Amino acid sequence: MTQISLIQIDNYGPWTVEPEPRRETDIQALQSNLYADLCSMFGSRGGLVFFSRFDNMVAVTDGISEEEHRRVQESVNNRYPVTVSIGVGRGTPREATEEATGRLQREGGAQDSSRESSLSFGETGESSTSGTVSSKGHEVQIGHCDIDGVTRKYTDELDGYESHLRIQEGYTRLARRMWEGHGSLTFFVGGDNFISVASGLDRHDFDEVIETVDAFDLKVGVGEGDVPETASRRAKMGLERCRETQERVCYGASVSSTR
Amino acid sequence: MTQISLIQIDNYGPWTVEPEPRRETDIQALQSNLYADLCSMFGSRGGLVFFSRFDNMVAVTDGISEEEHRRVQESVNNRYPVTVSIGVGRGTPREATEEATGRLQREGGAQDSSRESSLSFGETGESSTSGTVSSKGHEVQIGHCDIDGVTRKYTDELDGYESHLRIQEGYTRLARRMWEGHGSLTFFVGGDNFISVASGLDRHDFDEVIETVDAFDLKVGVGEGDVPETASRRAKMGLERCRETQERVCYGASVSSTR
Amino acid sequence: MTQISLIQIDNYGPWTVEPEPRRETDIQALQSNLYADLCSMFGSRGGLVFFSRFDNMVAVTDGISEEEHRRVQESVNNRYPVTVSIGVGRGTPREATEEATGRLQREGGAQDSSRESSLSFGETGESSTSGTVSSKGHEVQIGHCDIDGVTRKYTDELDGYESHLRIQEGYTRLARRMWEGHGSLTFFVGGDNFISVASGLDRHDFDEVIETVDAFDLKVGVGEGDVPETASRRAKMGLERCRETQERVCYGASVSSTR
Amino acid sequence: MTQISLIQIDNYGPWTVEPEPRRETDIQALQSNLYADLCSMFGSRGGLVFFSRFDNMVAVTDGISEEEHRRVQESVNNRYPVTVSIGVGRGTPREATEEATGRLQREGGAQDSSRESSLSFGETGESSTSGTVSSKGHEVQIGHCDIDGVTRKYTDELDGYESHLRIQEGYTRLARRMWEGHGSLTFFVGGDNFISVASGLDRHDFDEVIETVDAFDLKVGVGEGDVPETASRRAKMGLERCRETQERVCYGASVSSTR
């Protein structure tokens, strides 16, 4: 099972242009610092956060309680000129996203001025003790992809914008394929890195997606775990193994739990 | 004329995995905070910065001197566990990007461990007094686009990931079209906003691109100015006018310079 | 019982001047952002952090486990050009500080280049389940003081530096008195606010300290709780009551635990 | 001549407790990030910023124009839940502080809810071209002090709080002495470092102050320059020389202007 939290800045569009359009670099700095703070707060609890559209961010939050969501939300609301609302869902990545979106939308529209700092967490179906992880078998699966030889073939070879554009184009094909074919959420996370939040995919599935996308030579490390961070760390270990073995898909071995 | 600065984190790929892969949310927070700081430092000098790939960022820096670039670079190098190198170019957006990339690549590859904090600024062809703007007629053109009715049609209607993905897909089509057809650099800047760094495009050009892309109902505000920020502000004014008049392309009127 | 964590930047003095002295505003920005991140990470777990000397910060961390300390430490180490070492102690505020200091010093000196990212947590004397709070009766006591009429008497009346200096002078007298007389740690937290980490002080104790210090008209809100944040929130409630009642020392009523 | 900017958060006290007291660590994070951003923006223009009371910050801003102050102010106002007002003054450090304070106070009190984002810059008595430095002979003088052997005698020897307190106590004596005797503004800047914004003091003056304060073995590096950063850098160079020569007061040699 995966727990997805959809984090939306309340009534953000109007804010950016009232009383008159705000300076673009200030908006960019605000968005990026907010995202960094969410990474810091959810991340240090074992979660993962993706910037997505920046005004709508997606977090994988298995094991993070309603109380902890509220703390993070309160902290944002105390430190920024905007507030955020959060909807949370559970199930496969697709189900969880749909539930999280539905909860958020029922609280009010993104530009509904009456919605402010709402949190719709739903039921976890278990005693949600703060900080503890849900029962075994509720595994998060993460695929961490990068492009083989990106520095040699792109960064050091093409101009800076063409490299940028090819990576974004490849990204959207990969992401669409993973979403349609496997209900997985794939995000660009900087450089030549993409992270898929998946569920139950096997080596063949990943291999087939890479084959189909055919944008560039992708490698995928796959990791699973009770909390997103553990799955992410194992996925990175898998990707390191791909680098060593030149295999295309590698599973990250279980690593010590203390780190 | 446009001055483009390509900012690249030195030897970043290896850093993220040595001595072992670093926690993903820390990497995300580092990248976002670095981008926010660059926005703050270049932005308060009239520049614009785009996150692009995060490890490779693109700035429009007309009127920002070599000395000021060095200050920004020094500040980054003092505050982050990584350093950045910068290549600068001038000309049309495409020429400037190519020159900036060429300068950077000649200083060493992105994973060349001997390149650290290099700055290749080139000649401005005029006395580059710090902080002053180059001679008149050197105009930056900015197109600020957003999607008509995005909240109603996407955010409040589709699930959070499908919205994300459609915006990214539309983005890549728009960006590719602007790059191939007009040598313009288009970046996603959060929400449903895209910014094009262009040169000499007229109303018809923008109209034709929107028509061709046909991903969603785009509107474009266009602004020009000696410094990127002025052009950006006027573009936003143009976009506000589009909202009022329901026109697809609007030019931002000249606004008071003191703002 | 109070748990104190002493957080020290490793080998920081030499770093600030090698290879040559770094720009002062960069050092200030680094220190402040690091402190803000620690506030964010410890704070969202119910802790309190004080900037103290900035290169040596003091946190009250009851209920925050060794594992969580390690996560915070790892995050800092991944995002800054410096690392931090942490020593943790327990007991009265004075005992806890001494134990925390001793642990840190035994790991190596502040300028010992071989000490990097050490964490000496000690035994909690109970099963330290992550995130859960220790057994009842282990109460943290917080006194939150401010100056009666500071805006009228200082900020809007004196010049900006004289105000600053009087507050710092009053602070040191208050802090010395609380330390010598009651083994309490008092920190300046901005504006006209001072926070004391105390233990078992009663109304009379606070009253007597204020009387003795006689620097300005102080008011104190006092709060107690199992986690520092709860005690802090109640102390602030107490201070609000002082404002209403014009009493000098007020205890914060118990407030709902969900916020 | 010195230009001092007094930066005050508007109506901050009420904000921190309305509608109810905000979480302390959020307030701390907000203040510290705001200070860091001001360091970044003023600092990259050659200025210096001191946190002072955090809700009242003091900047040395020779050579930074009204337009640039407005940009910094606008950026803060766009990114934080609070706004800042700024008063600017010129003269000796004391005169400049008094003028800056007077300007700010005339705009309205610190808790006057009608004052928001005011900027009172005054006349520079010269054409204030953005970014350029005022005429020669307008020198800023900076003294950068630290404590001889602080790590050995304090940090590695005393407990963490006693070290903290002694440094603060010594600081207030030094600061009071410099203010009363020489009209200089001295600020604690972390670690064992204090920075004095002075004017026309000679070696004997510094020597005599250190002798009188007698809190600990102080060393002072002294630097002068047209912009605060240059003076600060030279002061640090002087302090490095003190370390080498074991002299108590050293002047920083002129250094290359490109850095």
Side-chain angles (χ1 to χ4, degrees):
Chain A
M1 197 189 71
T2 305
Q3 179 174 295
I4 295 286
S5 303
L6 186 58
I7 302 157
Q8 195 172 80
I9 303 180
D10 294 316
N11 206 14
Y12 185 54
W15 183 87
T16 63
V17 295
E18 282 163 14
E20 54 181 22
R22 294 171 195 265
R23 197 195 300 168
E24 189 57 34
T25 43
D26 289 342
I27 289 177
Q28 295 297 310
L30 165 64
Q31 291 173 352
S32 302
N33 282 327
L34 173 54
Y35 173 57
D37 277 331
L38 291 172
C39 283
S40 188
M41 287 188 284
F42 280 121
S44 69
R45 287 180 163 79
L48 287 174
V49 194
F50 302 101
F51 59 80
S52 184
R53 292 169 52 188
F54 278 106
D55 61 348
N56 286 264
M57 289 168 281
V58 176
V60 193
T61 56
D62 294 76
I64 302 179
S65 68
E66 179 169 11
E67 165 74 12
E68 289 175 302
H69 275 76
R70 213 174 283 285
R71 272 171 185 272
V72 168
Q73 191 181 36
E74 182 194 341
S75 182
V76 169
N77 297 351
N78 277 339
R79 292 160 57 188
Y80 287 88
V82 292
T83 58
V84 295
S85 287
I86 308 180
V88 183
R90 288 157 206 89
T92 64
R94 182 188 281 272
E95 290 164 358
T97 302
E98 287 168 355
E99 187 191 339
T101 309
R103 286 188 179 283
L104 195 57
Q105 289 169 346
R106 281 191 296 277
E107 295 288 316
Q111 294 194 3
D112 187 338
S113 62
S114 67
R115 195 196 73 189
E116 192 182 300
S117 301
S118 88
L119 170 61
S120 180
F121 190 77
E123 293 299 320
T124 57
E126 50 198 296
S127 60
S128 69
T129 314
S130 165
T132 55
V133 173
S134 40
S135 60
K136 297 297 171 187
H138 292 173
E139 292 263 305
V140 181
Q141 186 181 50
I142 295 290
H144 192 126
C145 317
D146 73 5
I147 302 171
D148 194 50
V150 69
T151 303
R152 187 170 35 83
K153 296 182 207 157
Y154 292 72
T155 317
D156 291 351
E157 184 64 24
L158 304 174
D159 73 71
Y161 190 72
E162 182 66 39
S163 294
H164 160 84
L165 204 45
R166 289 210 195 160
I167 289 172
Q168 298 307 315
E169 289 169 335
Y171 162 65
T172 54
R173 283 156 67 187
L174 173 65
R176 176 57 74 189
R177 188 75 189 72
M178 287 294 283
W179 179 237
E180 300 292 344
H182 301 284
S184 302
L185 317 175
T186 307
F187 296 95
F188 173 62
V189 291
D192 62 325
N193 291 257
F194 316 109
I195 294 183
S196 285
V197 184
S199 178
L201 273 64
D202 61 21
R203 182 182 300 269
H204 174 78
D205 295 324
F206 284 107
D207 221 50
E208 185 261 356
V209 168
I210 293 174
E211 198 82 39
T212 317
V213 169
D214 190 32
F216 14 58
D217 294 330
L218 281 176
K219 283 177 176 164
V220 191
V222 185
E224 292 171 348
D226 278 344
V227 289
E229 187 200 345
T230 308
S232 165
R233 200 180 332 116
R234 288 174 183 167
K236 288 177 173 222
M237 293 295 190
L239 195 55
E240 288 302 288
R241 191 167 306 161
C242 288
R243 287 199 185 103
E244 290 158 19
T245 62
Q246 294 297 316
E247 287 178 280
R248 208 152 66 173
V249 183
C250 291
Y251 280 71
S254 172
V255 286
S256 77
S257 63
T258 52
R259 227 217 71 155
Chain B
M1 197 192 71
T2 306
Q3 179 175 295
I4 295 285
S5 303
L6 185 58
I7 302 157
Q8 195 172 82
I9 303 180
D10 294 315
N11 206 15
Y12 185 53
W15 183 87
T16 63
V17 295
E18 283 164 11
E20 54 182 20
R22 293 171 195 265
R23 198 196 299 169
E24 189 57 34
T25 43
D26 289 341
I27 290 177
Q28 295 297 310
L30 164 65
Q31 291 174 350
S32 302
N33 282 327
L34 173 54
Y35 173 58
D37 277 331
L38 291 172
C39 283
S40 187
M41 288 187 284
F42 280 120
S44 69
R45 286 181 163 80
L48 287 173
V49 194
F50 302 101
F51 60 79
S52 185
R53 292 168 51 186
F54 279 105
D55 60 349
N56 286 264
M57 289 169 280
V58 175
V60 194
T61 57
D62 293 77
I64 303 179
S65 68
E66 180 169 10
E67 165 73 12
E68 290 175 301
H69 275 77
R70 213 174 282 284
R71 273 171 184 273
V72 168
Q73 190 181 36
E74 182 194 340
S75 184
V76 169
N77 296 352
N78 277 338
R79 292 160 58 188
Y80 287 88
V82 293
T83 58
V84 295
S85 288
I86 309 181
V88 184
R90 290 156 205 88
T92 64
R94 182 190 281 274
E95 289 165 358
T97 303
E98 287 168 355
E99 187 191 338
T101 309
R103 285 189 180 283
L104 195 56
Q105 287 169 347
R106 281 192 295 278
E107 295 288 316
Q111 294 194 1
D112 187 336
S113 61
S114 68
R115 195 196 73 190
E116 192 182 300
S117 301
S118 88
L119 170 61
S120 180
F121 189 78
E123 293 300 318
T124 58
E126 51 197 297
S127 60
S128 69
T129 314
S130 165
T132 57
V133 175
S134 39
S135 60
K136 299 296 173 190
H138 292 173
E139 292 263 304
V140 180
Q141 186 182 50
I142 294 291
H144 193 126
C145 317
D146 73 5
I147 303 172
D148 194 52
V150 69
T151 302
R152 186 171 37 82
K153 296 182 208 158
Y154 292 73
T155 316
D156 290 351
E157 183 63 25
L158 303 175
D159 73 73
Y161 190 73
E162 182 65 37
S163 296
H164 160 85
L165 203 44
R166 289 209 195 162
I167 289 172
Q168 298 307 315
E169 288 169 336
Y171 161 65
T172 55
R173 284 157 66 186
L174 173 66
R176 176 57 74 188
R177 188 76 189 72
M178 288 293 282
W179 180 237
E180 300 292 346
H182 300 285
S184 301
L185 315 176
T186 307
F187 296 95
F188 172 63
V189 291
D192 62 324
N193 292 258
F194 316 109
I195 293 182
S196 285
V197 184
S199 179
L201 272 65
D202 61 22
R203 181 183 300 271
H204 174 77
D205 294 325
F206 283 108
D207 223 50
E208 185 261 354
V209 167
I210 293 175
E211 198 80 39
T212 317
V213 169
D214 190 32
F216 15 58
D217 295 331
L218 280 176
K219 284 177 175 164
V220 190
V222 185
E224 291 170 351
D226 277 346
V227 289
E229 187 201 344
T230 308
S232 165
R233 201 180 331 115
R234 288 175 182 166
K236 288 178 174 221
M237 293 294 190
L239 195 55
E240 289 302 288
R241 191 167 307 161
C242 287
R243 288 203 183 100
E244 290 158 17
T245 62
Q246 292 297 315
E247 286 178 281
R248 206 151 68 172
V249 183
C250 292
Y251 281 72
S254 171
V255 285
S256 77
S257 63
T258 50
R259 198 151 144 196
Chain C
M1 198 190 70
T2 306
Q3 179 175 296
I4 295 285
S5 303
L6 185 58
I7 303 157
Q8 195 172 82
I9 304 181
D10 294 315
N11 206 16
Y12 184 53
W15 183 87
T16 63
V17 295
E18 282 163 13
E20 54 182 21
R22 294 170 195 265
R23 198 195 299 169
E24 189 57 34
T25 43
D26 289 342
I27 290 177
Q28 296 297 309
L30 164 65
Q31 291 173 353
S32 302
N33 282 327
L34 173 54
Y35 173 58
D37 277 331
L38 290 173
C39 284
S40 186
M41 288 187 284
F42 279 120
S44 69
R45 287 181 163 79
L48 287 173
V49 194
F50 302 101
F51 60 78
S52 184
R53 293 168 51 187
F54 278 106
D55 61 348
N56 285 265
M57 289 168 280
V58 175
V60 194
T61 56
D62 294 76
I64 303 179
S65 68
E66 181 169 9
E67 166 74 12
E68 289 175 301
H69 275 77
R70 212 174 284 285
R71 273 169 185 272
V72 168
Q73 190 181 37
E74 182 193 341
S75 182
V76 169
N77 296 351
N78 277 339
R79 291 161 59 189
Y80 287 88
V82 293
T83 58
V84 295
S85 288
I86 308 180
V88 184
R90 289 156 206 90
T92 63
R94 183 189 281 273
E95 290 165 357
T97 303
E98 287 168 355
E99 187 190 340
T101 309
R103 286 188 179 283
L104 195 56
Q105 288 169 348
R106 281 192 295 277
E107 296 288 316
Q111 294 194 4
D112 187 338
S113 62
S114 67
R115 195 197 72 190
E116 193 182 298
S117 301
S118 87
L119 169 61
S120 180
F121 190 77
E123 293 299 319
T124 58
E126 50 197 297
S127 60
S128 69
T129 314
S130 166
T132 56
V133 174
S134 38
S135 60
K136 297 297 173 188
H138 291 174
E139 291 263 305
V140 181
Q141 187 182 49
I142 294 290
H144 193 125
C145 316
D146 73 5
I147 302 171
D148 194 52
V150 70
T151 302
R152 186 169 38 81
K153 296 181 207 158
Y154 292 72
T155 317
D156 290 351
E157 184 63 25
L158 303 174
D159 73 71
Y161 190 72
E162 183 65 37
S163 295
H164 160 84
L165 204 45
R166 290 211 195 160
I167 288 172
Q168 298 306 315
E169 287 169 338
Y171 161 64
T172 55
R173 284 157 66 186
L174 174 65
R176 176 57 74 189
R177 188 76 189 73
M178 288 293 282
W179 179 237
E180 298 294 344
H182 300 284
S184 301
L185 317 175
T186 306
F187 297 96
F188 172 63
V189 292
D192 62 325
N193 291 258
F194 315 110
I195 293 182
S196 285
V197 184
S199 178
L201 272 65
D202 60 22
R203 182 183 300 270
H204 173 78
D205 295 325
F206 284 108
D207 222 50
E208 185 262 356
V209 167
I210 293 174
E211 198 80 39
T212 317
V213 168
D214 190 32
F216 14 59
D217 295 331
L218 281 176
K219 283 177 176 163
V220 190
V222 184
E224 291 170 350
D226 278 345
V227 290
E229 187 200 344
T230 309
S232 165
R233 200 180 331 115
R234 289 174 183 167
K236 288 177 173 220
M237 293 295 190
L239 195 55
E240 289 302 288
R241 192 167 305 161
C242 288
R243 288 200 183 101
E244 291 158 18
T245 63
Q246 293 297 315
E247 285 179 280
R248 206 151 67 173
V249 183
C250 291
Y251 280 71
S254 171
V255 286
S256 76
S257 63
T258 51
R259 228 213 75 151
Chain D
M1 197 189 72
T2 306
Q3 179 174 295
I4 295 287
S5 303
L6 186 58
I7 304 157
Q8 195 172 82
I9 304 180
D10 295 315
N11 206 15
Y12 184 53
W15 183 86
T16 62
V17 294
E18 282 163 12
E20 56 181 22
R22 293 171 195 264
R23 198 196 300 170
E24 188 57 34
T25 42
D26 289 342
I27 289 177
Q28 296 297 309
L30 165 64
Q31 291 173 352
S32 303
N33 282 327
L34 173 54
Y35 172 59
D37 277 331
L38 291 172
C39 283
S40 187
M41 288 187 285
F42 280 120
S44 69
R45 286 180 164 79
L48 286 174
V49 194
F50 302 101
F51 59 79
S52 186
R53 292 168 52 186
F54 278 106
D55 60 349
N56 285 265
M57 289 168 281
V58 175
V60 193
T61 56
D62 294 77
I64 303 179
S65 68
E66 181 169 9
E67 165 75 12
E68 289 175 302
H69 275 77
R70 212 175 284 285
R71 273 170 184 273
V72 169
Q73 190 180 37
E74 181 194 342
S75 183
V76 169
N77 296 351
N78 277 339
R79 292 160 56 189
Y80 287 88
V82 292
T83 59
V84 294
S85 288
I86 309 181
V88 184
R90 288 157 208 88
T92 64
R94 182 189 283 272
E95 290 165 357
T97 303
E98 286 168 356
E99 186 191 340
T101 309
R103 287 189 178 283
L104 194 56
Q105 288 169 348
R106 281 192 295 278
E107 296 287 318
Q111 295 194 2
D112 187 338
S113 62
S114 67
R115 195 196 72 189
E116 192 183 301
S117 300
S118 87
L119 171 61
S120 180
F121 190 78
E123 294 300 319
T124 58
E126 51 198 296
S127 61
S128 69
T129 314
S130 165
T132 58
V133 174
S134 40
S135 61
K136 297 297 173 189
H138 291 173
E139 291 263 304
V140 181
Q141 185 181 51
I142 294 289
H144 193 125
C145 318
D146 73 6
I147 303 172
D148 194 51
V150 69
T151 302
R152 187 171 35 83
K153 296 181 208 158
Y154 293 73
T155 318
D156 291 351
E157 184 62 25
L158 303 175
D159 73 73
Y161 190 73
E162 183 65 38
S163 296
H164 161 85
L165 203 45
R166 290 209 196 162
I167 289 172
Q168 298 307 315
E169 287 169 336
Y171 161 66
T172 55
R173 284 157 66 187
L174 173 66
R176 175 57 74 188
R177 188 77 189 71
M178 289 293 283
W179 180 236
E180 299 293 346
H182 301 284
S184 301
L185 316 175
T186 307
F187 296 96
F188 172 63
V189 292
D192 62 325
N193 292 258
F194 316 109
I195 293 183
S196 284
V197 184
S199 179
L201 272 65
D202 61 20
R203 181 183 300 271
H204 173 78
D205 295 323
F206 284 107
D207 222 49
E208 184 261 354
V209 167
I210 293 175
E211 199 80 39
T212 317
V213 169
D214 189 33
F216 15 58
D217 295 330
L218 281 176
K219 284 176 174 164
V220 191
V222 184
E224 292 171 350
D226 278 346
V227 290
E229 186 200 345
T230 308
S232 165
R233 200 180 332 113
R234 288 175 183 166
K236 289 177 173 221
M237 293 296 189
L239 195 55
E240 288 301 287
R241 191 168 306 163
C242 287
R243 286 200 185 103
E244 289 158 19
T245 63
Q246 293 297 315
E247 287 178 281
R248 207 150 68 171
V249 184
C250 291
Y251 280 72
S254 170
V255 286
S256 76
S257 63
T258 50
R259 226 216 76 152

